[in-house]
Amino acid sequence: MNMREPIISFKDYTYHYRAQAAPTITDINLEIYKGERIIIVGPSGCGKSTLAHCLNGLNPFSYPGEIKGNLTICGVETAKSGIFELSQYVGTVLQDTDGQFIGMTVLEDIAFSMENECIPQKELIERTKAEAEKVGLLSKLGDAPHALSGGQKQRVSMAGVMVNQVPILLFDEPLANLDPAAGRDAIELIDKLQKDGEKTVIIIEHRLEDAMHMGADRIIMMENGKIISDSTPEELFLSNKLIEAGIREPLYLTALKYADVALSKDMHVERMQTLSLADTHKEQIRKWFAKRQAKEPAPEREEVLRVENIHFGYTPERENLTDISFTIRKGDMVSIVGKNGAGKSTMAKLLCGFETPNKGKLYLRGRDMAEDTIKERAAHIGYVMQNPNQMISKPMIYDEVALSLVMQKLPEEEIKERVHETLKICGLYEFRNWPINALSYGQKKRVTIASILVSKPQILILDEPTAGQDFRHYTEIMEFLKELNEKGYTVLMITHDMHLMLEYTSRSLVFSEGRKIADTTPEKLFANPQLLQQASLKETSLYQLAKDCGLPEEAYIRAFIEYDREVRS
Amino acid sequence: MSATLSYIKKNSPIHKLTGSTKFIFFLVWSLAAMITYDTRVLVGMFLLGVVFFRMSKLTWKDIRFAVLFMVWLIALNLIALFLFSPEQGVGIYGTRTEIVHLFWRYSIIAEEMFYLFNFMMKYLAVIPAALLFILTTDPSEFAASLNKIGVSYKVGYSVAIALRYIPDIQRDFREISQAQQARGIDLSKKDKMVDRLKNSAAILFPLVLSSLDRIEVISNAMELRGFGKNKKRTWIVERPFKKADYVAIGIAVCAMVISMLFIFLNGGRFYNPFV
Amino acid sequence: MEKKSNITIKSIVAIGIGAALFFVAGRFIALPSPVPNTTMNIQYGILSVFSIIFGPFVGVLAGFIGHTLIDLTWGSPWWSWIIASAVFGLIVGLVKKKIDIENGVFGKKEIILFNVTQVIAHAICWIVIASVLDVVIYQEAFSKLVMQSLTAWALNSVTTGVVGTALLFAYAKTRTKAGSLQKED
């Protein structure tokens, strides 16, 4: 095939779901060439998932709708094709690493699509092993999904679509469920698979800097169902389009802009690795840094929570937490970080009383909590689960927020008053009589936080408050939490999100293999490569930038964070 | 959950049989026990079952809880049967040999005791086969086995999906109910029954809703990977039949034939020692 | 061009997930009931929801597979009751067409229809099917079965009535469109 012959071609393409009032994507004109790597970005609801569904045939064959214009893939008109035919050209890796892991073991999941093709068993085994080797999972063939990490599950899915030798790989938010280190590995693997197999790769992702880790040929930006930009990464980064569309630009670009460095074409701004700064630029950054004064650390406030030498195991054979101690002070905003299975969530469960420690003590304002029941603790410590859909048990907003008060059988008047007060704090008062499903994801998250706040706990523990959220929702949720924090609430967040740590927390507890290995500031953490690795995080581009300019990394990161907070507020 | 039986990996002749064999064996075996009430057949099947169990290298510890639970269930049933109809055996065997009168309408009657013994044996004859099937069959082989014995592969895959997602749903359930407990929804509380049921709905609702979302994702993932494309499909975990498999199925068929033969010889399902 | 087969992939998955939920609810949620040594079978509340949303085919198989798995993890299947569970899923699924749950319609009329159906379905399953099979397979005494089946019928009807109705009501609310909503001060 000729390099300049498009493998995918949208012509005046519009897709209108049968159940929707208006088309979801309109007038798409896009050509993608063989061997290209394309990143598609855009805020939630911009139509990027719809576009992906049009490529793999879920639209219109699973979600019916009306098509205008046309879309051809490898010369096939998609509207006249079908999901099964299209799946020979486009292999899709979905965001939900558990949902798409269909087989009982790695072996079965990789073989799944070949089994459906009725390939004889001998060949099945050979090809499955070959594919497992490419993604580095040959030793894990017999493992069940719950024995694998998120990154490993995703690699199984990649192997599972590549067994068919598809020319096009489509990734729908591949980084959303992975920690930063696993996300980096995923992008590196995609890069390798693409180069070895001459594939065309399309990545839909809003974490642009992470997705750009190994570069891309083009970035397509979508908004309101339309393509608003189609250019090389460099052209896009030199423009202001990302900020205008509310998409987070790479941190190093922000840092350069803060230092008033004029970006130009010869600087190769598309990736931190390619960035070449002239001495004058470096001087500008050093000057900017010199002007920044380190803030006085806030005075230490009274202690609200103390954890002392906690040991815990779900089974007697294995300890999940070993000798954990830390102190949380009133008004703290703390991130708890570490790999999946490092013990972060277990720690939260112990604090809430869902599990009981084998050894050690937990103190709430100096008082031992050992005798307190789950409910008694809930009056002081509120726990918010990651997925709001797992917490919401009433269809109406008012009822959901009132639930815990109703369970306490409080008088109706008091319930009403407290619910209304809480709804006002959470900015949901005007929606009080709405059904919850009419709300956006960010608003739903607020409802779940409101349903906890109504019991007036002073400490909030949130599990991955921003996982899978675009920049707008991320900002919405985090600004709300920041407001609560400023009102005096103590906030603990279990998170993988490096931006969250840097932008919103003053302290990070790092867990690794059941131990607390660090209790430090985010800037110290991000200036310590070894610690980052143990926490399954990755270096930020700020670290590299500071190094390139000969600045002290930790101090530079701190200066950047402080300045960034000022600018944003 | 130590009380839940599941696959235990070992290296034994029983483990080496294919999933299909064990499934067929289990079905035919329980059918054979189901149709007969002949004491000799049931006792024979039970003893043979124990022999097979010994061959599987499984230990008493693996099954202790399950067996005790079954014994308890059977005991409850026996007591209930006796209390509700103390003369059921008389009706079945046609004679009445009273050993000792207890009180009111209750007596120890040989025919009734024999009927209850047979009732118990009917369960005991099946339990070893059922335990072997559960404990020695790799769940991965389940769907392929069903397909092999003629069940549509799509329905077979429903079973595979159930087995695949039970641990996930169980984990979701545990997490949801913990979070709801913190909000005061506690199922162990001594509330009125209707309140307790309503509370359980408050826990089940998020579980059901997130499961419905999951159905969407899974079916998309399966469709995108060509599930349902052809009338057949192959299975990577399927194993070919060996001699032992034919022998095992042969034994089950023999049990079936003997069971039917005795019904024919007895002129009914019951073996009657009282005439 | 592919032809839509009558067994869609979605219903295959719904059977599997429905059975898994039935299993988890039946195996791990033990709500004590007023009758000693029995527990409330809240899994029938869930099964009825799947039957209403996905229809009789999903209902019958989810009930069958779910109940079989529960019994297998205890040690031995009780076929008569397994078949009763399957038939329950089937019968409730028959009124799927009359209850437009996907468009959020679950008012008084639907609630009554659902509950009448589930009570009748439980009656057919426990009083008729389970008992007849117990007589045929195990030659159990009729009077014991009367007590057993009436208890099962009553408990399961109450459970399904409360849990099933509550779940369907809440589910219907999630299907309503947000178009007509207005903010209030």
Side-chain angles (χ1 to χ4, degrees), chain B residues 1 3-6 26-27 30 33-37 65-67 69-70 72-74 76-77 80-81 84-85 88 92 105 115 119 122-123 126-127 130-131 133-134 142 152 154-155 157-159 161-163 165-166 169-170 173 187-188 190 193-194 196-198 200-209 211-212 214-216 218-220 222-223 226-228 269-270, chain C residues 2 4-21 23-25 27-34 37 40-43 45-46 49-50 53-54 57 61 65-66 68-69 71-80 134-148 154-155 158-160 162-164 166-172 174:
Chain B
M1 301 288 162
T4 310
L5 296 177
S6 58
F26 164 65
L27 283 183
S30 45
M34 214 182 266
I35 57 171
T36 187
Y37 243 108
F65 183 88
V67 170
F69 179 78
M70 295 302 294
W72 182 70
L73 262 192
I74 293 170
L76 271 186
N77 262 287
L81 278 172
F84 277 92
S85 178
Q88 177 85 353
I92 291 169
R105 60 183 184 130
Y115 161 71
F119 180 86
K122 239 169 129 67
Y123 283 108
V126 183
I127 289 174
L131 287 175
F133 172 60
I134 303 151
F142 225 93
S152 137
K154 292 186 178 179
V155 175
Y157 222 88
S158 293
V159 180
I161 288 170
L163 292 170
Y165 286 100
I166 280 172
I169 288 176
Q170 215 177 315
F173 167 70
L187 295 183
S188 56
K190 293 264 169 259
M193 191 176 89
V194 172
R196 238 178 341 202
L197 286 175
K198 278 189 183 156
S200 74
I203 293 180
L204 289 179
F205 181 61
L207 186 67
V208 169
L209 262 203
S211 300
L212 291 172
R214 208 189 280 264
I215 291 174
E216 190 88 20
I218 299 169
S219 41
N220 282 348
M222 287 171 67
E223 195 155 18
F227 186 83
R269 293 168 70 197
F270 291 90
Chain C
E2 49 200 303
K4 280 272 163 205
S5 90
N6 21 1
I7 312 178
T8 63
I9 295 178
K10 205 164 172 181
S11 49
I12 295 299
V13 179
I15 292 166
I17 296 296
L21 276 170
F23 175 87
V24 171
R27 190 68 171 73
F28 299 111
I29 310 179
L31 285 185
S33 82
N37 286 326
M40 306 297 293
N41 295 316
I42 60 173
Q43 63 266 41
I46 293 181
V49 171
F50 270 69
I53 298 178
F54 296 104
F57 178 70
L61 285 170
I65 296 169
T68 309
L69 291 177
D71 276 8
L72 284 178
T73 58
W74 283 125
S76 183
W78 225 272
W79 291 111
S80 45
D134 272 347
V135 168
V136 172
I137 301 172
Y138 302 108
Q139 296 272 311
E140 289 198 33
F142 193 67
S143 52
K144 178 207 169 211
L145 290 176
V146 169
M147 192 267 318
Q148 190 175 290
L155 285 181
V158 171
T159 316
T160 312
V162 178
V163 177
L167 289 176
L168 283 168
F169 184 76
Y171 177 71
T174 69

Side-chain angles (χ1 to χ4, degrees), chain A residues 53 56-58 61-63 83-85 87-88 90 92 94 96-105 107-121 124-125 128 145-146 153 156-157 160-161 164 349 352 354-355 374-375 378-379 381 383 385 387 389-395 399-401 403-405 407 409 451-452 455, chain B residues 9 138-144 153-154 157 159-165 167-169 171-186 189 191 195 198-199 201-211 213-240:
Chain A
H53 285 176
N56 60 29
L58 285 176
F61 302 107
S62 274
Y63 304 108
I83 291 191
F84 296 145
E85 190 188 355
S87 73
Q88 293 170 359
V90 183
T92 313
L94 303 167
D96 181 346
T97 49
D98 275 304
Q100 69 186 321
F101 197 120
I102 302 153
M104 216 90 70
T105 58
L107 179 84
E108 289 159 79
D109 197 64
I110 296 178
F112 184 79
S113 66
M114 290 188 292
E115 292 177 332
N116 295 329
E117 298 282 347
C118 296
I119 288 169
Q121 200 184 32
L124 275 180
I125 294 171
T128 302
H146 58 81
K153 280 181 237 183
V156 173
S157 302
V161 299
N164 282 346
K349 285 178 182 170
C352 298
F354 300 157
E355 308 287 348
I374 294 182
K375 238 173 87 186
I381 307 172
Y383 177 64
M385 297 172 81
N387 179 354
N389 292 334
Q390 292 206 325
M391 286 193 84
I392 294 170
S393 47
K394 297 281 171 186
D399 297 337
E400 177 67 19
V401 177
L403 184 66
S404 59
L405 304 183
M407 296 307 297
K409 302 205 165 67
S451 70
I452 297 299
S455 315
Chain B
K9 203 171 177 174
D138 187 341
S140 291
E141 265 190 77
F142 225 93
Y153 78 80
K154 292 186 178 179
Y157 222 88
V159 180
I161 288 170
L163 292 170
R164 155 71 183 88
Y165 286 100
D168 289 29
I169 288 176
R171 190 195 54 216
D172 285 358
F173 167 70
R174 205 167 33 233
E175 286 179 357
I176 289 170
S177 58
Q178 283 175 341
Q180 297 291 50
Q181 256 184 60
R183 298 166 75 190
I185 303 174
D186 193 347
K189 260 193 327 197
D191 277 334
D195 284 342
K198 278 189 183 156
N199 288 347
I203 293 180
L204 289 179
F205 181 61
L207 186 67
V208 169
L209 262 203
S210 49
S211 300
D213 290 344
R214 208 189 280 264
I215 291 174
E216 190 88 20
V217 178
I218 299 169
S219 41
N220 282 348
M222 287 171 67
E223 195 155 18
L224 288 173
R225 283 156 74 189
F227 186 83
K229 188 177 188 174
N230 297 307
K231 288 210 165 62
K232 284 192 305 192
R233 88 195 283 278
T234 49
W235 307 83
I236 195 165
V237 289
E238 197 173 6
R239 287 182 294 161

Side-chain angles (χ1 to χ4, degrees), chain B residues 14-190:
Chain B
I14 306 286
H15 283 76
K16 284 200 183 104
L17 296 172
T18 68
S20 316
T21 307
K22 277 174 278 199
F23 191 60
I24 295 169
F25 184 90
F26 164 65
L27 283 183
V28 174
W29 196 261
S30 45
L31 202 61
M34 214 182 266
I35 57 171
T36 187
Y37 243 108
D38 190 297
T39 323
R40 296 160 298 184
V41 177
L42 291 172
V43 171
M45 285 174 71
F46 172 67
L47 293 177
L48 209 54
V50 174
V51 171
F52 293 145
F53 191 83
R54 293 301 289 266
M55 286 167 64
S56 71
K57 295 186 185 164
L58 292 166
T59 60
W60 168 241
K61 222 182 97 205
D62 297 331
I63 57 161
R64 189 183 55 206
F65 183 88
V67 170
L68 292 181
F69 179 78
M70 295 302 294
V71 166
W72 182 70
L73 262 192
I74 293 170
L76 271 186
N77 262 287
L78 292 177
I79 292 166
L81 278 172
F82 181 67
L83 289 181
F84 277 92
S85 178
E87 311 248 330
Q88 177 85 353
V90 177
I92 291 169
Y93 297 104
T95 54
R96 190 173 190 283
T97 319
E98 185 170 320
I99 297 170
V100 57
H101 179 73
L102 297 174
F103 55 89
W104 188 31
R105 60 183 184 130
Y106 295 106
S107 308
I108 303 269
I109 301 165
E111 284 80 0
E112 174 69 10
M113 292 302 116
F114 191 63
Y115 161 71
L116 293 179
F117 174 73
N118 280 305
F119 180 86
M120 179 180 81
M121 284 318 298
K122 239 169 129 67
Y123 283 108
L124 292 184
V126 183
I127 289 174
L131 287 175
L132 280 181
F133 172 60
I134 303 151
L135 296 172
T136 70
T137 309
D138 187 341
S140 291
E141 265 190 77
F142 225 93
S145 306
L146 284 172
N147 188 209
K148 191 157 191 172
I149 64 168
V151 177
S152 137
Y153 78 80
K154 292 186 178 179
V155 175
Y157 222 88
S158 293
V159 180
I161 288 170
L163 292 170
R164 155 71 183 88
Y165 286 100
I166 280 172
D168 289 29
I169 288 176
Q170 215 177 315
R171 190 195 54 216
D172 285 358
F173 167 70
R174 205 167 33 233
E175 286 179 357
I176 289 170
S177 58
Q178 283 175 341
Q180 297 291 50
Q181 256 184 60
R183 298 166 75 190
I185 303 174
D186 193 347
L187 295 183
S188 56
K189 260 193 327 197
K190 293 264 169 259

Side-chain angles (χ1 to χ4, degrees), chain A residues 52-71:
Chain A
H53 285 176
C54 292
L55 285 171
N56 60 29
L58 285 176
N59 293 341
F61 302 107
S62 274
Y63 304 108
E66 197 189 320
I67 297 169
K68 284 201 193 102
N70 53 52
L71 163 61

Side-chain angles (χ1 to χ4, degrees), chain A residues 147-159:
Chain A
L148 303 173
S149 71
Q152 286 171 330
K153 280 181 237 183
Q154 191 181 60
R155 278 193 269 158
V156 173
S157 302
M158 286 188 207

